[in-house]
Amino acid sequence: DAGVIQSPRHEVTEMGQEVTLRCKPISGHDYLFWYRQTMMRGLELLIYFNNNVPIDDSGMPEDRFSAKMPNASFSTLKIQPSEPRDSAVYFCASSLSFGGHAPPVTQYFGPGTRLLVL
Amino acid sequence: QKEVEQDPGPLSVPEGAIVSLNCTYSNSAFQYFMWYRQYSRKGPELLMYTYSSGNKEDGRFTAQVDKSSKYISLFIRDSQPSDSATYLCAMSAGASWGKLQFGAGTQVVVTP
């Protein structure tokens, strides 16, 4: 299995530009999570989906952030407009719920997208 | 105050020593307790998972949960340089098991 795939791996953009991060979860997984990691705030859950439906978006910092999951194999996290304080590593993770072989709480993380907003 | 507290370290130990890591938490609803390992510039990976209280052992790793004290621990025996990484505790409540709360992570350095 290729694991969780994220693109791009690095993104440098200027303040005010739109940024789109992409994620392909592990095939068959029914949960997808978006996290942000910074030195100051650590690893924070932004939003998670179950069967392509957003379950909890209470971690989304503000309206500039939006996430979609149009199908079971693809999700996007969009920031518009971007600001320097959005600079962070953004991780996508996927998980298989009850009935799978792994404990339901096991989340498999992708390699992350390093975002720098100038 | 954060729901999950973890000393960021760094924690430096000689090869072969026992590494002791811990987290405290304030939310008594937490039932799922995990330890993730994160190598530099990589995504976290699950090491250990415990449901409710008790101990769990997996090779050189032992996880302990004391719900009465709201305290969890991870022990790494016979530490190796390859164990050098950041270790993050994570936990969630039963009703929303997917909503993990992470500690800040402890950086561990095992010196040869």
Side-chain angles (χ1 to χ4, degrees):
Chain A
D1 198 320
V4 175
I5 299 172
Q6 292 186 246
S7 65
R9 294 293 306 276
H10 302 271
E11 177 83 19
V12 181
T13 190
E14 292 187 345
M15 182 174 63
Q17 296 298 306
E18 178 179 292
V19 175
T20 299
L21 310 181
R22 298 172 176 78
C23 175
K24 177 179 170 54
I26 293 173
S27 177
H29 282 192
D30 54 349
Y31 279 82
L32 183 138
F33 307 83
W34 281 102
Y35 290 89
R36 178 174 68 177
Q37 187 173 39
T38 62
M39 289 293 292
M40 289 295 294
R41 301 176 66 88
L43 192 59
E44 303 174 285
L45 176 67
L46 299 177
I47 184 172
Y48 73 97
F49 296 82
N50 177 221
N51 292 323
N52 314 337
V53 176
I55 302 301
D56 190 322
D57 65 354
S58 58
M60 296 287 261
E62 48 198 280
D63 291 345
R64 298 184 297 107
F65 285 70
S66 62
K68 294 182 180 180
M69 192 165 186
N71 57 63
S73 59
F74 183 67
S75 178
T76 59
L77 178 68
K78 187 173 293 186
I79 308 172
Q80 166 63 18
S82 58
E83 296 183 4
R85 59 193 169 116
D86 301 330
S87 298
V89 181
Y90 290 82
F91 287 103
C92 175
S94 69
S95 184
L96 183 62
S97 64
F98 290 96
H101 297 293
V105 295
T106 304
Q107 295 187 19
Y108 297 86
F109 283 75
T113 294
R114 293 184 172 273
L115 173 65
L116 178 61
V117 183
L118 302 173
Chain B
Q1 185 183 1
K2 294 182 180 180
E3 281 192 294
V4 181
E5 297 283 353
Q6 183 178 11
D7 187 333
L11 179 63
S12 184
V13 300
E15 183 176 356
I18 295 176
V19 176
S20 176
L21 304 167
N22 58 77
C23 290
T24 58
Y25 63 95
S26 57
N27 188 346
S28 58
F30 286 149
Q31 293 180 284
Y32 295 92
F33 303 93
M34 287 135 279
W35 286 95
Y36 279 80
R37 178 176 62 194
Q38 186 176 21
Y39 289 114
S40 179
R41 306 183 79 84
K42 300 287 186 183
E45 57 177 334
L46 182 68
L47 266 183
M48 300 283 288
Y49 149 67
T50 307
Y51 174 72
S52 193
S53 283
N55 296 355
K56 190 170 185 178
E57 190 172 316
D58 185 1
R60 298 185 296 112
F61 299 89
T62 299
Q64 294 182 348
V65 175
D66 182 349
K67 290 190 72 177
S68 61
S69 302
K70 296 188 177 68
Y71 186 91
I72 70 171
S73 303
L74 177 71
F75 301 96
I76 308 173
R77 292 182 298 279
D78 187 24
S79 57
Q80 305 294 312
S82 58
D83 295 325
S84 298
T86 296
Y87 292 81
L88 302 105
C89 62
M91 45 199 83
S92 65
S96 54
W97 62 264
K99 193 171 181 179
L100 293 184
Q101 295 287 338
F102 280 86
T106 300
Q107 184 185 2
V108 173
V109 179
V110 181
T111 55

